[in-house]
PDB file of all heavy atoms in Angstrom:
ATOM      1  N   ILE A  37    -173.892 -34.032 118.878  1.00 97.00           N
ATOM      2  CA  ILE A  37    -172.781 -34.246 119.820  1.00 97.00           C
ATOM      3  C   ILE A  37    -171.471 -33.865 119.149  1.00 97.00           C
ATOM      4  O   ILE A  37    -170.646 -33.176 119.736  1.00 97.00           O
ATOM      5  CB  ILE A  37    -172.759 -35.711 120.310  1.00 97.00           C
ATOM      6  CG1 ILE A  37    -173.918 -35.937 121.296  1.00 97.00           C
ATOM      7  CG2 ILE A  37    -171.430 -36.052 120.948  1.00 97.00           C
ATOM      8  CD1 ILE A  37    -174.081 -37.365 121.727  1.00 97.00           C
ATOM      9  N   ILE A  38    -171.291 -34.296 117.897  1.00 97.00           N
ATOM     10  CA  ILE A  38    -170.064 -33.961 117.172  1.00 97.00           C
ATOM     11  C   ILE A  38    -169.947 -32.453 116.977  1.00 97.00           C
ATOM     12  O   ILE A  38    -168.868 -31.886 117.173  1.00 97.00           O
ATOM     13  CB  ILE A  38    -170.031 -34.723 115.816  1.00 97.00           C
ATOM     14  CG1 ILE A  38    -169.838 -36.213 116.059  1.00 97.00           C
ATOM     15  CG2 ILE A  38    -168.914 -34.170 114.914  1.00 97.00           C
ATOM     16  CD1 ILE A  38    -170.021 -37.084 114.843  1.00 97.00           C
ATOM     17  N   LYS A  39    -171.056 -31.803 116.594  1.00 97.00           N
ATOM     18  CA  LYS A  39    -171.026 -30.346 116.417  1.00 97.00           C
ATOM     19  C   LYS A  39    -170.637 -29.645 117.715  1.00 97.00           C
ATOM     20  O   LYS A  39    -169.762 -28.769 117.725  1.00 97.00           O
ATOM     21  CB  LYS A  39    -172.398 -29.841 115.975  1.00 97.00           C
ATOM     22  CG  LYS A  39    -172.541 -29.745 114.476  1.00 97.00           C
ATOM     23  CD  LYS A  39    -173.810 -28.991 114.112  1.00 97.00           C
ATOM     24  CE  LYS A  39    -173.447 -27.650 113.537  1.00 97.00           C
ATOM     25  NZ  LYS A  39    -174.585 -26.961 112.915  1.00 97.00           N
ATOM     26  N   LEU A  40    -171.269 -30.034 118.812  1.00 96.00           N
ATOM     27  CA  LEU A  40    -170.962 -29.413 120.104  1.00 96.00           C
ATOM     28  C   LEU A  40    -169.514 -29.684 120.504  1.00 96.00           C
ATOM     29  O   LEU A  40    -168.838 -28.818 121.044  1.00 96.00           O
ATOM     30  CB  LEU A  40    -171.920 -29.946 121.178  1.00 96.00           C
ATOM     31  CG  LEU A  40    -173.330 -29.349 121.164  1.00 96.00           C
ATOM     32  CD1 LEU A  40    -174.220 -30.104 122.141  1.00 96.00           C
ATOM     33  CD2 LEU A  40    -173.294 -27.881 121.538  1.00 96.00           C
ATOM     34  N   TYR A  41    -169.056 -30.913 120.256  1.00 96.00           N
ATOM     35  CA  TYR A  41    -167.698 -31.298 120.605  1.00 96.00           C
ATOM     36  C   TYR A  41    -166.685 -30.422 119.855  1.00 96.00           C
ATOM     37  O   TYR A  41    -165.726 -29.929 120.437  1.00 96.00           O
ATOM     38  CB  TYR A  41    -167.503 -32.771 120.247  1.00 96.00           C
ATOM     39  CG  TYR A  41    -166.206 -33.375 120.742  1.00 96.00           C
ATOM     40  CD1 TYR A  41    -165.982 -33.518 122.106  1.00 96.00           C
ATOM     41  CD2 TYR A  41    -165.229 -33.811 119.844  1.00 96.00           C
ATOM     42  CE1 TYR A  41    -164.797 -34.069 122.570  1.00 96.00           C
ATOM     43  CE2 TYR A  41    -164.048 -34.354 120.296  1.00 96.00           C
ATOM     44  CZ  TYR A  41    -163.841 -34.493 121.663  1.00 96.00           C
ATOM     45  OH  TYR A  41    -162.673 -35.039 122.117  1.00 96.00           O
ATOM     46  N   ARG A  42    -166.944 -30.207 118.558  1.00 95.00           N
ATOM     47  CA  ARG A  42    -166.039 -29.362 117.775  1.00 95.00           C
ATOM     48  C   ARG A  42    -166.055 -27.930 118.279  1.00 95.00           C
ATOM     49  O   ARG A  42    -165.006 -27.292 118.385  1.00 95.00           O
ATOM     50  CB  ARG A  42    -166.465 -29.378 116.296  1.00 95.00           C
ATOM     51  CG  ARG A  42    -166.054 -30.660 115.595  1.00 95.00           C
ATOM     52  CD  ARG A  42    -166.369 -30.571 114.120  1.00 95.00           C
ATOM     53  NE  ARG A  42    -165.896 -31.757 113.427  1.00 95.00           N
ATOM     54  CZ  ARG A  42    -166.264 -32.077 112.201  1.00 95.00           C
ATOM     55  NH1 ARG A  42    -167.110 -31.304 111.544  1.00 95.00           N
ATOM     56  NH2 ARG A  42    -165.787 -33.162 111.634  1.00 95.00           N
ATOM     57  N   LYS A  43    -167.239 -27.404 118.609  1.00 94.00           N
ATOM     58  CA  LYS A  43    -167.339 -26.057 119.149  1.00 94.00           C
ATOM     59  C   LYS A  43    -166.570 -25.955 120.452  1.00 94.00           C
ATOM     60  O   LYS A  43    -165.851 -24.982 120.695  1.00 94.00           O
ATOM     61  CB  LYS A  43    -168.808 -25.695 119.402  1.00 94.00           C
ATOM     62  CG  LYS A  43    -169.471 -25.021 118.223  1.00 94.00           C
ATOM     63  CD  LYS A  43    -170.841 -24.490 118.610  1.00 94.00           C
ATOM     64  CE  LYS A  43    -171.493 -23.788 117.432  1.00 94.00           C
ATOM     65  NZ  LYS A  43    -172.840 -23.345 117.742  1.00 94.00           N
TER      66      LYS A  43
END
Side-chain angles (χ1 to χ4, degrees):
I37 287 173
I38 290 170
K39 267 191 110 169
L40 282 172
Y41 189 66
R42 283 185 176 166
K43 269 189 179 176

